[in-house]
Amino acid sequence: MGSSIFLQSNSLLESLIHLSNEVSSIEKLPSIQVRNVSTMLRRIKVLTSLFEEIQESNNPMLPPSSVLCLSELFSVIRRVKSTMEGCKNGSSLWGLIQTERLSNQFHVFVKEIARALDILPLSLLTVTVDIKEQIELLHRQAKRVELYVDPKEIQTRDVLLTLMASEKNMFDVETVKHVFNSVGLKTVLDYEEEMSKLEDEVHKQAESEENDVRQVSGSVGKSTSASFNVPDEFRCPISLDLMKDPVIVASGHTYDRSSIAQWINTGHYTCPKSGQRLIHMALIPNYALKSLVHQWCQENNIPLMECSSNAESEKKTCEKAVDHISATKVAIDSVKRTAEFVVGKLAMGSVDIQRQAAYELRLLAKTGMDNRRIIAEAGAIPFLVTMLSSNDPRTQENAVTALLNLSIFDNNKILIMAAGAIKNIVDVLESGKTMEARENAAAAIFSLSMIDDFKVAIGAHSQAIPALVALLREGTTTGKRDAAMALCNLALYNANKLKTVAAGAVPLLIELLMDDKAGITDDALGVLALLLSCPQGLEAIKKSRPLVPLLIDLLRFGSAKGKENSITLLLGLCKDGGEEVARRLLINPRSIPSLQSLATDGQVKLMFNRSELKWLKLSDSEQ
């Protein structure tokens, strides 16, 4: 597969270096798009340093995602070169008129570079620290770059358009010279060359219109050919349309990729034709059938488009930025190819290859809902779940982190639970090979428990809640926060409250309130406030002598959320045996001023309304 999709890595690197040097050495840069061109050249020079270092490392086997990244960068830089040469060698006045379109094109190029770098596993490449830092900085900047349209070019273009709309001999010659000078036209020879380029542009635009007419005619021809009697074996069982991209599902039946993907993404996990439950969600290309479909289309003079669309969507596509849409399609296709390739490595690779593949999926799933959806469609989830039991620490860590990243996409939560992942995730949480693996397992449980039904399923696992409580005790600040957030989610279900109390969470949470370094005060208060509604939780909370003074301090210095939960806890304690709590409040000299301060600014009333509580004895005690 690698040899059919990508150039050999050595020849790819040579081509990239040669192409990048060609772009960097372009003489006499264009007079339009000056800032976009110069910043693009700087980016390409940084990338060239990366290409040269990778080549010098003489690594015969680059990771597949890095090869794909380099292939995508080659495609982008080639189009950058073409655009820059067009700006330089084409009509400057036409380029000025098209300034917004050209600016958008450069913006799309930068975004494509960012998406390509998303899947570059820098840590697996032999490059210096300096180059690594430069690429990471380039990646961050490219991800957040905004469209830049030169305001001076916009102003000059508007002047030019005004001049063009003026009546003959009714414009100011000095204004014309100023416009011409701004795009590098200063001599009579420059004017003559520009006239020649404008004539070429007129011919080009005329040819483009003729091609548009041919495409419309072709569309009509396609509609006519649709009336052909398509063989049943070439029709998708779901849409009944001709299959453009036939794929085989776990049941062995074949469907068009777009139709079956939509079926799965809407929450169906059975084969539409047989009703059989799909044991995995991998969509395997049916190359034999695809070849037959292509052959049939050629024999019947029917063009087979990879993506069909109705007239309305075509109209919208034309109205939007075509470059951006095509760029998005290229990015999605590249992620799709990578995901399918890497999942194949997960399924059949050695331990080392599986570790590397899990890492690449971890990176790929880190950004973008499309990435997460596509990886799941490629069938990665069942393999990643299996790899949670790996004895290799890095493989386990990469697998659980990849599942965490995938779970951000809501439909993937369902697929992960359907794959029986919760047992393996809890095992990693309880006794993972690394602390990072345990903490990411807790974060995965938090993510999965966002769905109500899964709160029940996760809580039903005997070790899930005790393992989260253990991480509260043993984890880093991040791990403790992940564990507290997961417990907070699970404790919304009443049966899980008792399990949380039984696991010893209450004294540990109160201890964390006293630990400034723990940094999870609000999260700990949130869990305690939920456990308050459980009788066993209330009893455990009442046993803590230091809690009331802590809550009083939090009323003064805590966050808005912390103050709200502190009030909730105090009122809950007052409601059950309020005299003792009221006595503790009165003994503490800071309690009444803190409560009065909150009452004065309205926070107490707001918090009572939220928690549906009342003062209950506090006013009597104060008197």
Side-chain angles (χ1 to χ4, degrees), residues 451-476:
I451 295 179
D452 288 341
D453 288 347
F454 296 163
K455 292 177 174 65
V456 181
I458 294 169
H461 192 287
S462 60
Q463 291 305 309
I465 290 175
L468 287 170
V469 173
L471 187 62
L472 269 180
R473 184 182 301 107
E474 302 163 4
T476 65

mmCIF file of all heavy atoms in Angstrom, residues 451-476:
data_model
loop_
_atom_site.group_PDB
_atom_site.id
_atom_site.type_symbol
_atom_site.label_atom_id
_atom_site.label_comp_id
_atom_site.label_asym_id
_atom_site.label_seq_id
_atom_site.Cartn_x
_atom_site.Cartn_y
_atom_site.Cartn_z
ATOM 1 N N ILE A 451 -22.283 10.701 28.886
ATOM 2 C CA ILE A 451 -23.558 10.117 28.464
ATOM 3 C C ILE A 451 -24.185 9.412 29.670
ATOM 4 O O ILE A 451 -23.540 8.582 30.320
ATOM 5 C CB ILE A 451 -23.345 9.139 27.295
ATOM 6 C CG1 ILE A 451 -22.838 9.907 26.068
ATOM 7 C CG2 ILE A 451 -24.625 8.387 26.962
ATOM 8 C CD1 ILE A 451 -22.556 9.048 24.856
ATOM 9 N N ASP A 452 -25.445 9.738 29.963
ATOM 10 C CA ASP A 452 -26.090 9.275 31.201
ATOM 11 C C ASP A 452 -26.070 7.758 31.363
ATOM 12 O O ASP A 452 -25.766 7.248 32.446
ATOM 13 C CB ASP A 452 -27.535 9.782 31.252
ATOM 14 C CG ASP A 452 -27.594 11.290 31.530
ATOM 15 O OD1 ASP A 452 -26.577 11.832 32.019
ATOM 16 O OD2 ASP A 452 -28.631 11.907 31.246
ATOM 17 N N ASP A 453 -26.409 7.033 30.295
ATOM 18 C CA ASP A 453 -26.454 5.574 30.402
ATOM 19 C C ASP A 453 -25.097 4.988 30.782
ATOM 20 O O ASP A 453 -25.018 3.952 31.452
ATOM 21 C CB ASP A 453 -26.927 4.958 29.086
ATOM 22 C CG ASP A 453 -28.410 5.204 28.851
ATOM 23 O OD1 ASP A 453 -29.090 5.614 29.807
ATOM 24 O OD2 ASP A 453 -28.878 4.993 27.719
ATOM 25 N N PHE A 454 -24.033 5.658 30.373
ATOM 26 C CA PHE A 454 -22.699 5.134 30.640
ATOM 27 C C PHE A 454 -22.268 5.393 32.088
ATOM 28 O O PHE A 454 -21.356 4.730 32.591
ATOM 29 C CB PHE A 454 -21.684 5.720 29.667
ATOM 30 C CG PHE A 454 -21.936 5.339 28.228
ATOM 31 C CD1 PHE A 454 -21.349 6.043 27.182
ATOM 32 C CD2 PHE A 454 -22.790 4.287 27.915
ATOM 33 C CE1 PHE A 454 -21.587 5.689 25.867
ATOM 34 C CE2 PHE A 454 -23.038 3.936 26.597
ATOM 35 C CZ PHE A 454 -22.438 4.638 25.575
ATOM 36 N N LYS A 455 -22.906 6.364 32.753
ATOM 37 C CA LYS A 455 -22.631 6.558 34.186
ATOM 38 C C LYS A 455 -22.981 5.278 34.951
ATOM 39 O O LYS A 455 -22.270 4.860 35.864
ATOM 40 C CB LYS A 455 -23.447 7.724 34.728
ATOM 41 C CG LYS A 455 -23.061 9.097 34.195
ATOM 42 C CD LYS A 455 -23.983 10.162 34.757
ATOM 43 C CE LYS A 455 -23.565 11.567 34.375
ATOM 44 N NZ LYS A 455 -23.643 11.858 32.946
ATOM 45 N N VAL A 456 -24.103 4.677 34.558
ATOM 46 C CA VAL A 456 -24.556 3.441 35.203
ATOM 47 C C VAL A 456 -23.597 2.299 34.880
ATOM 48 O O VAL A 456 -23.153 1.560 35.767
ATOM 49 C CB VAL A 456 -25.984 3.079 34.742
ATOM 50 C CG1 VAL A 456 -26.464 1.808 35.421
ATOM 51 C CG2 VAL A 456 -26.941 4.234 35.012
ATOM 52 N N ALA A 457 -23.263 2.153 33.593
ATOM 53 C CA ALA A 457 -22.409 1.043 33.160
ATOM 54 C C ALA A 457 -21.013 1.124 33.784
ATOM 55 O O ALA A 457 -20.448 0.114 34.214
ATOM 56 C CB ALA A 457 -22.314 1.038 31.636
ATOM 57 N N ILE A 458 -20.462 2.331 33.849
ATOM 58 C CA ILE A 458 -19.119 2.491 34.423
ATOM 59 C C ILE A 458 -19.157 2.233 35.925
ATOM 60 O O ILE A 458 -18.305 1.539 36.490
ATOM 61 C CB ILE A 458 -18.567 3.893 34.119
ATOM 62 C CG1 ILE A 458 -18.342 4.048 32.605
ATOM 63 C CG2 ILE A 458 -17.261 4.141 34.861
ATOM 64 C CD1 ILE A 458 -18.055 5.465 32.165
ATOM 65 N N GLY A 459 -20.173 2.792 36.593
ATOM 66 C CA GLY A 459 -20.290 2.595 38.036
ATOM 67 C C GLY A 459 -20.521 1.147 38.420
ATOM 68 O O GLY A 459 -20.148 0.716 39.522
ATOM 69 N N ALA A 460 -21.123 0.380 37.506
ATOM 70 C CA ALA A 460 -21.394 -1.037 37.781
ATOM 71 C C ALA A 460 -20.117 -1.862 37.836
ATOM 72 O O ALA A 460 -20.110 -2.961 38.402
ATOM 73 C CB ALA A 460 -22.339 -1.595 36.718
ATOM 74 N N HIS A 461 -19.032 -1.358 37.250
ATOM 75 C CA HIS A 461 -17.755 -2.079 37.321
ATOM 76 C C HIS A 461 -17.201 -1.922 38.738
ATOM 77 O O HIS A 461 -16.993 -0.806 39.222
ATOM 78 C CB HIS A 461 -16.775 -1.524 36.297
ATOM 79 C CG HIS A 461 -15.558 -2.371 36.115
ATOM 80 N ND1 HIS A 461 -14.555 -2.447 37.066
ATOM 81 C CD2 HIS A 461 -15.177 -3.196 35.110
ATOM 82 C CE1 HIS A 461 -13.611 -3.267 36.649
ATOM 83 N NE2 HIS A 461 -13.969 -3.737 35.466
ATOM 84 N N SER A 462 -16.939 -3.024 39.390
ATOM 85 C CA SER A 462 -16.617 -3.005 40.825
ATOM 86 C C SER A 462 -15.379 -2.180 41.163
ATOM 87 O O SER A 462 -15.279 -1.628 42.268
ATOM 88 C CB SER A 462 -16.430 -4.444 41.339
ATOM 89 O OG SER A 462 -15.362 -5.074 40.638
ATOM 90 N N GLN A 463 -14.432 -2.054 40.238
ATOM 91 C CA GLN A 463 -13.180 -1.371 40.557
ATOM 92 C C GLN A 463 -13.095 0.047 39.991
ATOM 93 O O GLN A 463 -12.102 0.737 40.243
ATOM 94 C CB GLN A 463 -11.997 -2.199 40.013
ATOM 95 C CG GLN A 463 -11.783 -3.512 40.735
ATOM 96 C CD GLN A 463 -11.616 -3.330 42.228
ATOM 97 O OE1 GLN A 463 -10.817 -2.516 42.686
ATOM 98 N NE2 GLN A 463 -12.389 -4.070 43.010
ATOM 99 N N ALA A 464 -14.103 0.487 39.234
ATOM 100 C CA ALA A 464 -14.007 1.788 38.573
ATOM 101 C C ALA A 464 -13.890 2.919 39.589
ATOM 102 O O ALA A 464 -12.947 3.721 39.548
ATOM 103 C CB ALA A 464 -15.220 1.998 37.662
ATOM 104 N N ILE A 465 -14.848 3.004 40.514
ATOM 105 C CA ILE A 465 -14.842 4.106 41.478
ATOM 106 C C ILE A 465 -13.686 3.982 42.479
ATOM 107 O O ILE A 465 -12.993 4.969 42.744
ATOM 108 C CB ILE A 465 -16.215 4.209 42.170
ATOM 109 C CG1 ILE A 465 -17.246 4.723 41.146
ATOM 110 C CG2 ILE A 465 -16.159 5.122 43.384
ATOM 111 C CD1 ILE A 465 -18.668 4.760 41.636
ATOM 112 N N PRO A 466 -13.400 2.792 43.044
ATOM 113 C CA PRO A 466 -12.226 2.686 43.922
ATOM 114 C C PRO A 466 -10.928 3.081 43.223
ATOM 115 O O PRO A 466 -10.045 3.690 43.855
ATOM 116 C CB PRO A 466 -12.211 1.198 44.305
ATOM 117 C CG PRO A 466 -13.643 0.775 44.212
ATOM 118 C CD PRO A 466 -14.203 1.545 43.059
ATOM 119 N N ALA A 467 -10.806 2.756 41.941
ATOM 120 C CA ALA A 467 -9.576 3.110 41.219
ATOM 121 C C ALA A 467 -9.472 4.623 41.034
ATOM 122 O O ALA A 467 -8.371 5.192 41.090
ATOM 123 C CB ALA A 467 -9.548 2.407 39.859
ATOM 124 N N LEU A 468 -10.604 5.295 40.811
ATOM 125 C CA LEU A 468 -10.591 6.759 40.703
ATOM 126 C C LEU A 468 -10.207 7.385 42.037
ATOM 127 O O LEU A 468 -9.438 8.359 42.085
ATOM 128 C CB LEU A 468 -11.969 7.262 40.259
ATOM 129 C CG LEU A 468 -12.348 7.019 38.787
ATOM 130 C CD1 LEU A 468 -13.815 7.338 38.554
ATOM 131 C CD2 LEU A 468 -11.469 7.855 37.859
ATOM 132 N N VAL A 469 -10.727 6.840 43.133
ATOM 133 C CA VAL A 469 -10.383 7.354 44.465
ATOM 134 C C VAL A 469 -8.893 7.135 44.747
ATOM 135 O O VAL A 469 -8.219 8.009 45.313
ATOM 136 C CB VAL A 469 -11.257 6.673 45.546
ATOM 137 C CG1 VAL A 469 -10.794 7.076 46.946
ATOM 138 C CG2 VAL A 469 -12.726 7.045 45.347
ATOM 139 N N ALA A 470 -8.363 6.005 44.316
ATOM 140 C CA ALA A 470 -6.930 5.735 44.495
ATOM 141 C C ALA A 470 -6.092 6.757 43.732
ATOM 142 O O ALA A 470 -5.054 7.222 44.228
ATOM 143 C CB ALA A 470 -6.597 4.315 44.025
ATOM 144 N N LEU A 471 -6.551 7.122 42.532
ATOM 145 C CA LEU A 471 -5.816 8.115 41.752
ATOM 146 C C LEU A 471 -5.894 9.496 42.408
ATOM 147 O O LEU A 471 -4.950 10.291 42.298
ATOM 148 C CB LEU A 471 -6.365 8.177 40.324
ATOM 149 C CG LEU A 471 -5.581 9.050 39.332
ATOM 150 C CD1 LEU A 471 -4.157 8.523 39.162
ATOM 151 C CD2 LEU A 471 -6.281 9.110 37.977
ATOM 152 N N LEU A 472 -7.020 9.779 43.096
ATOM 153 C CA LEU A 472 -7.115 11.027 43.864
ATOM 154 C C LEU A 472 -5.985 11.117 44.880
ATOM 155 O O LEU A 472 -5.467 12.191 45.176
ATOM 156 C CB LEU A 472 -8.450 11.081 44.613
ATOM 157 C CG LEU A 472 -9.663 11.729 43.952
ATOM 158 C CD1 LEU A 472 -10.851 11.669 44.882
ATOM 159 C CD2 LEU A 472 -9.375 13.161 43.546
ATOM 160 N N ARG A 473 -5.600 9.982 45.407
ATOM 161 C CA ARG A 473 -4.565 9.932 46.442
ATOM 162 C C ARG A 473 -3.161 9.948 45.834
ATOM 163 O O ARG A 473 -2.254 10.595 46.363
ATOM 164 C CB ARG A 473 -4.736 8.668 47.291
ATOM 165 C CG ARG A 473 -3.779 8.541 48.467
ATOM 166 C CD ARG A 473 -3.990 7.238 49.223
ATOM 167 N NE ARG A 473 -5.357 7.127 49.724
ATOM 168 C CZ ARG A 473 -6.275 6.298 49.209
ATOM 169 N NH1 ARG A 473 -5.963 5.522 48.161
ATOM 170 N NH2 ARG A 473 -7.492 6.236 49.709
ATOM 171 N N GLU A 474 -2.981 9.275 44.697
ATOM 172 C CA GLU A 474 -1.635 9.001 44.198
ATOM 173 C C GLU A 474 -1.235 9.829 42.982
ATOM 174 O O GLU A 474 -0.045 9.916 42.660
ATOM 175 C CB GLU A 474 -1.533 7.514 43.815
ATOM 176 C CG GLU A 474 -1.839 6.569 44.973
ATOM 177 C CD GLU A 474 -2.139 5.150 44.492
ATOM 178 O OE1 GLU A 474 -2.024 4.907 43.268
ATOM 179 O OE2 GLU A 474 -2.487 4.299 45.324
ATOM 180 N N GLY A 475 -2.193 10.428 42.282
ATOM 181 C CA GLY A 475 -1.901 11.058 40.999
ATOM 182 C C GLY A 475 -1.232 12.411 41.111
ATOM 183 O O GLY A 475 -1.096 12.992 42.193
ATOM 184 N N THR A 476 -0.804 12.936 39.973
ATOM 185 C CA THR A 476 -0.313 14.312 39.894
ATOM 186 C C THR A 476 -1.509 15.254 39.980
ATOM 187 O O THR A 476 -2.666 14.813 40.055
ATOM 188 C CB THR A 476 0.420 14.545 38.566
ATOM 189 O OG1 THR A 476 -0.530 14.423 37.482
ATOM 190 C CG2 THR A 476 1.542 13.536 38.361
#
